Amino acid sequence: MFLSTWNTMKLHEAQNSWHSDNWIFKFFLLVIVMVASFFIPQLYIQIYGEIARVGAGIFLGLQLVSVIEFITWWNNYWMPQNQSKQSCSFGLVMSIVFYIGSVCGIAVMYYFYGASTACGLNIFFISWTVILLIVMMVISLHSKVKNRGLLSSGIMASYIVFLCWSAIRSEPSHTKCNAHTQNSHTDWTTILSFLIAIGAIVMATFSTGIDSESFRFEFRKDEAKEEDDIPYSYGFFHLVFSLGAMYFAMLFISWNLSHSTEKWSIDVGWTSTWVKIVNEWFAAAIYLWKLIAPIVRQHRVHEQPQPTAAEVHR
């Protein structure tokens, strides 16, 4: 699908109908591919697994950019440049609410996952998350950042706290410091969590796939759209879904190609834990760079030597 739609530009092109229609044919094609996958030799499955690891990592990076772009859009929507006192107060209140939620999440994680000194790794994860929260808050309150980080920093704080919690939850069931995995039996909450996780990943994959504008180069973002232009990049959409499928595969095997996972478990294991922790740190780094990048670019522009009058008239 990616190869057949990557260069689609207009709605009247044949690739548009191939992307939007022919569902019966696509369904039978999907069934054929699924059946054929059972006859693929083990060697090729192993090779695909190694490729899927890389693809899943790329998908996480794309998803982070999409999430941060959405947070930035939300901040700009509620905190425009020509902000009034009412909008500024709303942004401040919502930022405080998100930060309070983040602090509560930190306290809960310390209570459940870091109550003992033997849980040194969990304490490190949570403490480093606290440091990231403080750094984001300090930078967002800087006068040069202005309103770019007021509301978005609070939302981002809640997001990285969630990533930290998700990483700790992915620790193996035999870990004594994981309060939620000490009971090894499977109950309805485990199954419900499994289904919710699947649904959330599907929604994240779809939203990232149609958010091709966030990944376009700056000189192409300002291009005017015509009426017959496609609403989003079909090729990018299918590329993201293929990467999302690789991410799904890694979740089901917990990023481990040599061992099978437990029943109704998804994304559990030390590899999954470290992937999520690195994802959290990477998310914080991207967000901090988006805050300071305009200041750095502005500083570089001021440092460039200005042309003299004689050079201008040449």
Side-chain angles (χ1 to χ4, degrees), residues 163-184:
L163 290 178
C164 181
W165 170 81
S166 179
I168 296 177
R169 288 267 300 184
S170 294
E171 292 178 355
S173 57
H174 57 77
T175 304
K176 296 181 179 180
C177 298
N178 196 335
H180 291 277
T181 56
Q182 292 179 2
N183 297 326
S184 58

Side-chain angles (χ1 to χ4, degrees), residues 128-284:
W128 188 250
T129 302
V130 173
I131 294 175
L132 292 177
L133 294 184
I134 295 174
V135 171
M136 288 193 303
M137 182 176 64
V138 171
I139 294 180
S140 65
L141 293 177
H142 197 278
S143 59
K144 292 185 178 181
V145 174
K146 298 180 181 179
N147 70 324
R148 284 192 296 268
L150 182 61
L151 177 58
S152 62
S153 62
I155 304 173
M156 195 64 194
S158 300
Y159 180 62
I160 66 170
V161 168
F162 166 77
L163 290 178
C164 181
W165 170 81
S166 179
I168 296 177
R169 288 267 300 184
S170 294
E171 292 178 355
S173 57
H174 57 77
T175 304
K176 296 181 179 180
C177 298
N178 196 335
H180 291 277
T181 56
Q182 292 179 2
N183 297 326
S184 58
H185 66 279
T186 301
D187 54 10
W188 68 271
T189 57
T190 304
I191 299 175
L192 182 61
S193 300
F194 177 86
L195 297 177
I196 292 176
I198 294 295
I201 296 169
V202 170
M203 292 180 60
T205 305
F206 185 82
S207 61
T208 305
I210 63 177
D211 189 24
S212 57
E213 294 296 323
S214 299
F215 305 94
R216 301 179 71 183
F217 294 106
E218 292 294 332
F219 64 85
R220 297 188 60 189
K221 283 188 176 181
D222 297 330
E223 290 182 357
K225 274 188 169 293
E226 300 179 1
E227 292 184 359
D228 59 344
D229 286 344
I230 58 176
Y232 54 89
S233 174
Y234 295 160
F236 181 80
F237 177 84
H238 293 294
L239 175 63
V240 169
F241 258 78
S242 64
L243 297 175
M246 297 179 184
Y247 180 62
F248 258 108
M250 291 297 103
L251 293 185
F252 280 116
I253 64 174
S254 298
W255 299 79
N256 195 332
L257 300 178
S258 57
H259 296 87
S260 59
T261 58
E262 298 179 0
K263 185 179 180 181
W264 295 110
S265 66
I266 181 172
D267 205 16
V268 175
W270 284 117
T271 306
S272 300
T273 298
W274 279 104
V275 167
K276 291 182 178 181
I277 285 295
V278 173
N279 191 37
E280 174 201 343
W281 298 344
F282 191 47

